[in-house]
């Protein structure tokens, strides 16, 4: 593991938990080595999360033949080199989103890792929310008919503090602000549920004086299948703690979801009584996605458990039970999301609608 803070904690927790919750797991993870820049902090993290060893030099992970899976939860600036070198050393790789700081870097990571033949997953964990997977199943079954609209927004409020000076606010380390941090999730979910994005018209705005990354983005998009949509992300929406919300409208039904009500999916079908509106489905039944791992009906799961579902999926792919895609985000998916994010920036700069082409 590279990184001991937010994502290092989330992924480490998931590896520990999947070893007994998804019993028997495809592989039993052993937490061998964790790397981070701060010696005291990484030493403490190793003890806390249960790693055998710790290091301040990620090269120790790449060069260790005992390690079969490298999980990169570090800042965006260290997504490329450690991940590529780990794959070239024969290790399967996980990398947090955004895959790279822009489409160029993301494309290079994808191409160089794919050439090694290892399994690779870009950690868009919201694909592994049971309600999101159920939405995908309903769409694939034709329950919504022709998809017409996608509306997605990811709103948080913690960035409304001009004194913040973490790597997330440095353009050279993060690449972007709310766009790569939150908007990439909206882009990925729109691609996962609706399809490829063909064009985008966007606004990108920085509100706080002196800040070097974007605070908010708004984009109107058209999908290759003819559907249209809106994408929004900001870290300045006061009162919104972790509000990832989306809605999909089709010719015969609609779906709506709010991350702050993670276990619920709102479903509307036009063949019923329209006056009754949306039906709330509590996604916790035994036949719902991922629920074979969890609890009796009605006993809900939490945000951190999405990583359990995601990393279990990767381990099953490593042993050959299925491919990483289409349900897991491959590095190609990470690259394609970055291409859309770059188009959003170009559109904001040019004032024009930007067509998207994928390499």
């Amino acid at each position: 593991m590279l990184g001991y803070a937010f994502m290092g904690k989330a992924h480490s927790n998931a590896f520990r938990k999947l070893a007994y919750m998804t019993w028997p797991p495809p592989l039993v993870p052993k937490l061998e080595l964790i790397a981070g820049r701060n010696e005291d902090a990484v030493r403490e993290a190793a003890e806390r999360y249960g790693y055998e060893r710790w290091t301040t030099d990620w090269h120790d992970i790449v060069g260790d033949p005992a390690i079969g899976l490298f999980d990169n939860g570090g800042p965006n600036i260290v997504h490329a080199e450690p991940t590529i070198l780990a794959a070239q050393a024969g290790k399967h790789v996980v990398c947090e989103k955004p895959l790279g700081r822009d489409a160029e870097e993301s494309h290079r990571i994808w191409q160089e890792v794919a050439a090694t033949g290892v399994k690779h997953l870009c950690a868009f964990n919201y694909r592994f929310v049971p309600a999101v997977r159920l939405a995908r199943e309903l769409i694939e079954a034709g329950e919504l008919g022709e998809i017409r609209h996608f509306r997605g927004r990811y709103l948080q409020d913690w960035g409304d503090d001009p004194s913040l000076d973490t790597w997330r606010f440095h353009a050279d380390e993060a690449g972007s602000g709310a766009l790569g941090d939150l908007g990439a999730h909206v882009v990925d979910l729109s691609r996962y549920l609706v399809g490829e994005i063909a064009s985008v018209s966007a606004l990108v705005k920085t509100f706080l004086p002196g800040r070097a990354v974007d605070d908010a983005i708004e984009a109107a998009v058209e999908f290759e299948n003819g559907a249209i949509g809106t994408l929004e992300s900001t870290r300045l929406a006061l009162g919104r703690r972790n509000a990832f919300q989306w809605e999909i409208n089709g010719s015969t039904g609609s779906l709506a979801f709010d991350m702050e009500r993670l276990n619920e999916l709102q479903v509307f079908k036009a063949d019923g009584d329209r006056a009754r509106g949306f039906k709330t489905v509590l996604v916790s039944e035994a036949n719902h996605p991922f629920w074979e791992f969890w609890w009796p009906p009605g006993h809900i799961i939490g945000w951190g458990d999405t990583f359990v579902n995601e990393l279990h999926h990767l381990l099953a792919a490593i042993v050959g039970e299925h491919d990483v895609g289409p349900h897991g985000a491959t590095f190609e998916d990470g690259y394609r999301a970055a291409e859309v994010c770059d188009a959003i920036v170009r559109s904001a700069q040019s004032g024009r609608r930007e067509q998207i082409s994928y390499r």
Side-chain angles (χ1 to χ4, degrees):
M1 180 73 67
L2 173 57
Y4 50 76
F6 185 24
M7 285 300 108
K9 180 179 182 180
H11 287 224
S12 298
N13 172 68
F15 279 121
R16 293 290 297 273
K17 185 177 286 189
L18 75 82
Y20 57 86
M21 284 302 297
T22 67
W23 188 259
L27 295 166
V28 178
K30 179 183 178 185
L31 304 189
E32 183 67 32
L33 180 59
I34 185 169
R37 290 176 291 185
N38 182 291
E39 181 174 336
D40 291 337
V42 73
R43 181 194 298 111
E44 180 184 37
E47 180 179 0
R48 178 180 181 182
Y49 304 150
Y51 285 87
E52 298 287 327
R53 297 174 288 134
W54 57 269
T55 181
T56 57
D57 185 353
W58 57 259
H59 292 88
D60 294 338
I61 298 176
V62 171
D64 192 329
I67 294 172
L69 174 62
F70 173 63
D71 189 328
N72 192 335
N76 300 349
I77 194 173
V78 291
H79 282 187
E81 186 180 7
T83 303
I84 291 169
L85 290 178
Q88 291 173 344
K91 305 178 193 311
H92 304 291
V93 288
V94 182
C95 186
E96 259 302 325
K97 43 58 56 188
L99 182 59
R101 289 168 291 177
D102 55 24
E104 181 67 33
E105 185 172 66
S106 299
H107 185 263
R108 180 170 69 87
I109 296 170
W110 165 41
Q111 290 291 291
E112 295 196 28
V113 169
T116 69
V118 303
K119 301 295 184 182
H120 47 88
L121 180 140
C122 186
F124 283 110
N125 62 301
Y126 295 142
R127 291 182 176 217
F128 292 88
V129 174
V132 170
R133 179 65 64 83
L134 180 60
R136 165 93 176 209
E137 292 178 359
L138 293 172
I139 293 167
E140 289 183 331
E143 295 288 337
L144 270 62
E146 177 192 18
I147 303 300
R148 294 169 173 170
H149 309 126
F150 174 87
R151 302 178 189 86
R153 63 180 195 172
Y154 202 157
L155 312 177
Q156 295 180 349
D157 66 358
W158 63 275
D160 192 34
D161 179 353
S163 70
L164 289 172
D165 193 35
T166 72
W167 65 266
R168 295 182 186 275
F169 296 94
H170 292 266
D172 60 334
E173 293 186 76
S176 63
L179 176 60
D181 190 14
L182 307 179
H185 273 302
V186 187
V187 170
D188 182 71
L189 250 294
S190 73
R191 292 184 60 250
Y192 181 62
L193 296 175
V194 179
E196 294 293 1
I197 295 173
S199 67
V200 58
S201 180
L203 297 170
V204 176
K205 182 79 171 182
T206 300
F207 288 97
L208 273 64
R211 181 161 287 176
V213 296
D214 59 276
D215 286 323
I217 68 102
E218 304 277 351
V221 302
E222 182 173 13
F223 295 87
E224 290 182 358
N225 61 14
I228 60 174
T230 57
L231 315 177
E232 176 184 9
S233 68
T234 183
R235 299 184 291 203
L236 304 185
L238 299 184
R240 298 295 185 183
R241 307 302 288 166
N242 191 41
F244 185 9
Q245 303 156 335
W246 54 260
E247 179 173 324
I248 299 174
N249 307 130
S251 58
T252 60
S254 295
L255 301 172
F257 174 79
D258 183 345
M259 184 62 62
E260 292 181 339
R261 303 187 69 87
L262 181 144
N263 292 271
E264 297 178 3
L265 183 65
Q266 302 293 318
V267 180
F268 176 84
K269 295 185 179 180
D271 58 1
D273 182 354
R274 288 176 181 262
R276 294 181 179 179
F278 281 86
K279 174 185 177 182
T280 298
V281 176
L282 183 63
V283 187
S284 66
E285 295 297 321
N287 64 339
H288 283 156
F290 310 111
W291 223 259
E292 68 270 24
F293 304 147
W294 298 105
W295 315 111
H299 295 70
I300 59 178
I301 64 171
W303 176 85
D305 297 324
T306 65
F307 295 95
V308 176
N309 297 337
E310 179 178 50
L311 294 173
H312 178 276
H313 177 86
L314 175 63
L315 296 185
I318 289 172
V319 300
E321 293 183 15
H322 51 64
D323 293 331
V324 173
H327 294 302
T330 65
F331 280 9
E332 180 177 3
D333 289 304
Y335 152 69
R336 286 177 175 249
E339 199 71 79
V340 176
C341 290
D342 275 17
I344 288 171
V345 174
R346 292 197 307 272
S347 176
Q349 291 171 341
S350 69
R352 298 188 299 268
R353 182 176 176 181
E354 289 284 332
Q355 300 296 319
I356 300 172
S357 61
Y358 299 100
R359 307 173 211 188

